Structures are given as C-alpha cells and as structure tokens.
Amino acid sequence: MKLYSYFRSSASYRVRIALALKGLPYEYAAVHLVKGGGQQLSSVYRSVNPDSLVPTLEDGPHVLTQSLAIVEYLNELHPEPPLLPSDAVDRAYVRSVALQVACEIHPVNNLRVLQYLKNSLGVTEEQKTEWYRHWVDVGFGALESRLEDERRVGEFVCGGTPTLADICLVPQVWNARRFNIPLDDYPTVVCLADNAMKLEAFKMAQPANQPDAE
Amino acid sequence: MKLYSYFRSSASYRVRIALALKGLPYEYAAVHLVKGGGQQLSSVYRSVNPDSLVPTLEDGPHVLTQSLAIVEYLNELHPEPPLLPSDAVDRAYVRSVALQVACEIHPVNNLRVLQYLKNSLGVTEEQKTEWYRHWVDVGFGALESRLEDERRVGEFVCGGTPTLADICLVPQVWNARRFNIPLDDYPTVVCLADNAMKLEAFKMAQPANQPDAE
C-alpha cells in the first residue's frame, strides 16, 4: 500500500494511526500542502486524486480517498484489532464521535478555509486565530458535555480499546495544541486523547515521526 | 422512532431519505434552527442532544446523532434495501463520495458558519454569497471530475440503486439551487441528483414535504 500524506494533515494522521494499529506496512508519499503553493494542486497529484486533498491510499489497483472511508475499508479488510465495536448502537456512538470531529471541527479549520479567510476576506491574523479557537471551542465543548457523562467512556472513547473515535480525536487535540488553544475546559476530551497518545501506534503516526516532518 | 429535524437542514434531509428508502415510520419532531435564536440551543433540545445540532434519532432508549452514523445504523439494523454496496472497495467509494459532501462542502456552508461570518467577521451579504458559492464550486468541481469518468456511475452514484452517496448528494444540490448557485459546470453531479429525486422516497423526504415546511 502507498499513502499520500502530509505530516501535519489531521486526515492523513487518522489513516496513519489506523494503519499502525492494524500493523500494516506502507510506502509513504509526501505531499506538501504549503510548499510551492501546495503540491496537492499539482497535475501529478490530481491525476491520483482530483479532489486535491490528502490522504489518498493506493491499495494495489484501488485508489481510496476520504480518511473515514479509508479507515472503514482497512477495518473491513483487516478486522484485527477491530476499530469499531461489535454492537450496532455502540458503533453508531463511535462513528458519531468521529463525525463530530470530522464534520463539525476539522473542515471549518482546514488549511484552505484559513487561507480563504486571509486571502479573500482579508481578515487579520487575530481574527483568524479567533475563528480557529471559536470552532474548536464549539466542537470540543459539545464533545465534552457528551463524553463527561457517557457510560461507554473508559480508557478510550468506547471502553478499553481504541476505535475510530480516538483515531479522529487525537489529531484534533494535537492540532489544537499546535495552535495554542487553551483546553482546560475539556478535561475528558484531553484525557482520552492523552490515553491514546500513549499507545505505540499513535506515537508512530504522529506528525513529528513522519519522513516529511519539519 | 422519533426524528428531531429541521425541514431545511441537509443533515436531517439525509436521514429522512434513509428512513423513507427503508420504509420505516417515525414521529417528526420539528426543531426550528432560526426562530427564537434557534430552538436547537434551547435547554429542552440540549437535554436530548448536547451538540445542539439536528438531526437526532431516538430509537427506543437509544439517542443517535450525526446523520452519517444514523444512516449506517439504520442500514445495519434494517438491511433492505441496502444503502451500501456489498463489495468493500465499492463501499469505500460510496462512503468517500458521501464524505466529500459531508466533510468538504456542507460544514463550511452550515448555518452557524454563515452566521459567524456575518455577525463576528462583519462580512457583506455579497461576500457571504461568494463564500457559499466558492465552497460549492470547490466541492462540486472535485466531485464532477471524479464522477464524470467513474465506471461505477450508473443511474445513481454507484450503479442502479441509490446509496449513502446519493443520500448526501441530493440535499447538497437542493441547497445549492436554493441559493441560486449556477450548476452548469457539474452536469454529472446534477444528473445523478435529479435521477435520485425522481424516486418516491427522495420526494417524501424533501424539505417542502415536511410538517415544518414554510
């Protein structure tokens, strides 16, 4: 398998965690999202993935995009260890936590959105930082109220093993720290992310440990 | 089952389509996202869903959130007709198209994001419209280049039956039309959405046919 990835991309980070948890080897193809105006926009990369987004996973002849779809695919083809619980209601819970990160927080604070705010709307650095912080606060606030009383929460979002939910949570917390967002109001969210970050697979997948890390 | 829904919400619309395709009856609980500053922010609704987002599906004692997680749940519990293909690679394709809408287009043009642009960043109506249009163009542009050459495309996104991908595509096209976004550059996207809209289940689920339609 070959993973097109950018070390700092949350979505790439998710897939790297899943691959590491499954113990699957892969070739790392770096796509720099900033250098030269963004290598994801090059015709070479667009011929792989016309969306100009990372990650893309090549598995033999198959080209897979969208991190959550890739993780579900990896989980279906390589069931051990499972990244989703065996019960349908628990699965819906895990997927919904993952989607709360992937649909409510991450897209609004994506690099291209921040670039649009700056370049097309001319917002100040301060307004851009406030925007970022606002959506993390809205998203983590909602997650915290949900998870603090959730009976399924254990060492991880759903019990004692990491799932798709932890795979999405960790990169978002890593990102928030990178932008120096205060996280004191989200103790459950932070504790869960820190628990997962202690695992070897999560360590291997983190941005600093990628070949293209700066 | 009880669905908390707003007639215009794309995410609610997705779940309504899935329920209609499965032929599942449900009670409709309207949550008005604009009236009175937004009923989703009321303490009554927050006690159901602390995220203050629609939809929420109550299935007996279970409270389910996030439209894509709900659709996967419905599909697991009520397998007929299937909303995902039987092959893992095709499933990844369908999920990735669904996520291209749910993660790349919809969140950035969500009501609360448009409200933030207006109220906190003070952008003009024109800039807000241009923002909306920009992200539809980016998202539909990427979808169009992907789908126009995709061998799996048939009457629907994946062959001859509607899937999770069509469930996400239709509300986004409906929304773009509501905002008068020109769609001439996306003939495949529009054709697929129009094919799906002809089905009775998609008609039943559309905003105009909801009890809270204005």
Side-chain angles (χ1 to χ4, degrees), chain A residues 51-197:
Chain A
D51 309 340
S52 297
L53 293 168
V54 288
T56 302
L57 184 72
E58 283 181 358
D59 188 10
H62 308 303
V63 179
L64 306 158
T65 62
Q66 286 292 332
S67 60
L68 267 64
I70 297 173
V71 176
E72 295 260 4
Y73 168 86
L74 290 171
N75 195 47
E76 287 170 359
L77 262 72
H78 309 275
E80 294 302 325
L83 303 180
L84 287 170
S86 56
D87 173 75
V89 179
D90 291 343
R91 256 196 314 279
Y93 158 68
V94 163
R95 285 194 179 114
S96 71
V97 172
L99 289 162
Q100 265 189 270
V101 173
C103 295
E104 311 302 339
I105 308 176
H106 180 247
V108 200
N109 284 341
N110 218 341
L111 179 66
R112 64 186 186 182
V113 171
L114 300 178
Q115 285 172 337
Y116 187 96
L117 284 173
K118 193 180 160 187
N119 301 335
S120 300
L121 291 179
V123 308
T124 63
E125 261 321 292
E126 203 184 334
Q127 284 174 316
K128 205 178 81 178
T129 307
E130 184 47 38
W131 167 282
Y132 191 99
R133 186 176 172 153
H134 176 78
W135 297 113
V136 170
D137 281 339
V138 167
F140 278 177
L143 269 176
E144 183 67 28
S145 8
R146 184 174 181 194
L147 296 175
E148 65 186 355
D149 297 324
E150 172 55 56
R151 62 169 180 78
R152 279 170 282 215
V153 165
E155 192 178 343
F156 302 103
V157 173
C158 189
T161 50
T163 61
L164 179 65
D166 306 280
I167 286 174
C168 289
L169 202 58
V170 161
Q172 198 63 54
V173 168
W174 184 87
N175 251 346
R177 284 186 173 139
R178 183 179 154 231
F179 282 85
N180 297 314
I181 311 291
L183 297 176
D184 307 336
D185 291 343
Y186 319 115
T188 313
V189 168
V190 168
C191 173
L192 288 168
D194 284 343
N195 287 345
M197 282 185 204

Side-chain angles (χ1 to χ4, degrees), chain A residues 46 50-53 62-70 72-73 76-77 87-89 91-93 95-97 99-100 102-105 107-108 110 112-113 116-117 120-121 123 127-128 130-131 134-135 138-139 141-143 145-146 151-152, chain B residues 46 50-53 62-70 72-73 76-77 87-89 91-93 95-97 99-100 102-105 107-108 110 112-113 116-117 120-121 123 127-128 130-131 134-135 138-139 141-143 145-146 151-152:
Chain A
R46 288 182 94 118
D51 309 340
S52 297
L53 293 168
H62 308 303
V63 179
L64 306 158
T65 62
Q66 286 292 332
S67 60
L68 267 64
I70 297 173
E72 295 260 4
Y73 168 86
E76 287 170 359
L77 262 72
D87 173 75
V89 179
R91 256 196 314 279
Y93 158 68
R95 285 194 179 114
S96 71
V97 172
L99 289 162
Q100 265 189 270
C103 295
E104 311 302 339
I105 308 176
V108 200
N110 218 341
R112 64 186 186 182
V113 171
Y116 187 96
L117 284 173
S120 300
L121 291 179
V123 308
Q127 284 174 316
K128 205 178 81 178
E130 184 47 38
W131 167 282
H134 176 78
W135 297 113
V138 167
L143 269 176
S145 8
R146 184 174 181 194
R151 62 169 180 78
R152 279 170 282 215
Chain B
R46 288 182 93 118
D51 310 339
S52 297
L53 294 168
H62 308 302
V63 179
L64 306 159
T65 61
Q66 287 291 331
S67 60
L68 267 65
I70 298 173
E72 294 260 4
Y73 169 86
E76 287 170 0
L77 262 71
D87 172 75
V89 178
R91 256 196 314 278
Y93 158 69
R95 284 193 178 116
S96 71
V97 172
L99 289 162
Q100 265 188 271
C103 295
E104 311 303 339
I105 309 176
V108 201
N110 217 342
R112 64 186 186 181
V113 170
Y116 187 97
L117 284 173
S120 300
L121 291 180
V123 309
Q127 284 174 315
K128 206 178 80 177
E130 184 47 38
W131 167 282
H134 175 77
W135 298 114
V138 167
L143 269 176
S145 6
R146 186 174 180 194
R151 61 165 180 81
R152 279 170 283 215

Side-chain angles (χ1 to χ4, degrees), chain B residues 10-213:
Chain B
S10 297
S12 302
Y13 191 173
R14 294 174 198 152
V15 174
R16 295 194 307 254
I17 297 169
L19 287 162
L21 283 167
K22 299 284 184 187
L24 297 167
Y26 60 97
E27 180 189 343
Y28 190 100
V31 181
H32 202 294
L33 298 193
V34 182
K35 217 182 273 176
Q39 293 174 349
Q40 77 281 15
L41 301 169
S42 71
S43 56
V44 178
Y45 186 66
R46 288 182 93 118
S47 71
V48 177
N49 180 352
D51 310 339
S52 297
L53 294 168
V54 287
T56 302
L57 183 73
E58 284 181 356
D59 187 11
H62 308 302
V63 179
L64 306 159
T65 61
Q66 287 291 331
S67 60
L68 267 65
I70 298 173
V71 176
E72 294 260 4
Y73 169 86
L74 291 171
N75 194 46
E76 287 170 0
L77 262 71
H78 309 276
E80 293 303 323
L83 302 180
L84 288 170
S86 56
D87 172 75
V89 178
D90 291 342
R91 256 196 314 278
Y93 158 69
V94 164
R95 284 193 178 116
S96 71
V97 172
L99 289 162
Q100 265 188 271
V101 173
C103 295
E104 311 303 339
I105 309 176
H106 180 247
V108 201
N109 284 342
N110 217 342
L111 180 65
R112 64 186 186 181
V113 170
L114 300 178
Q115 285 173 336
Y116 187 97
L117 284 173
K118 192 179 163 191
N119 302 333
S120 300
L121 291 180
V123 309
T124 63
E125 257 329 286
E126 203 185 336
Q127 284 174 315
K128 206 178 80 177
T129 306
E130 184 47 38
W131 167 282
Y132 190 98
R133 186 176 171 150
H134 175 77
W135 298 114
V136 170
D137 281 339
V138 167
F140 277 176
L143 269 176
E144 183 67 27
S145 6
R146 186 174 180 194
L147 297 176
E148 66 186 355
D149 298 323
E150 172 56 56
R151 61 165 180 81
R152 279 170 283 215
V153 165
E155 193 178 342
F156 303 102
V157 173
C158 189
T161 51
T163 61
L164 178 64
D166 306 280
I167 287 175
C168 289
L169 202 58
V170 161
Q172 198 63 54
V173 168
W174 184 88
N175 250 345
R177 284 184 172 140
R178 184 180 153 228
F179 282 86
N180 297 314
I181 312 289
L183 297 176
D184 307 335
D185 291 342
Y186 319 116
T188 314
V189 168
V190 168
C191 172
L192 288 168
D194 284 342
N195 287 346
M197 282 184 204
K198 282 179 206 142
L199 298 182
E200 195 51 35
F202 283 75
K203 281 185 196 161
M204 282 167 63
Q206 74 165 253
N209 295 332
Q210 305 317 304
D212 56 339

Side-chain angles (χ1 to χ4, degrees), chain A residues 7 13 16-17 170 174 197 201-210 213:
Chain A
F7 74 114
Y13 192 173
R16 296 194 307 254
I17 298 170
V170 161
W174 184 87
M197 282 185 204
F202 284 75
K203 281 185 196 163
M204 281 166 64
Q206 74 165 254
N209 295 332
Q210 304 318 305

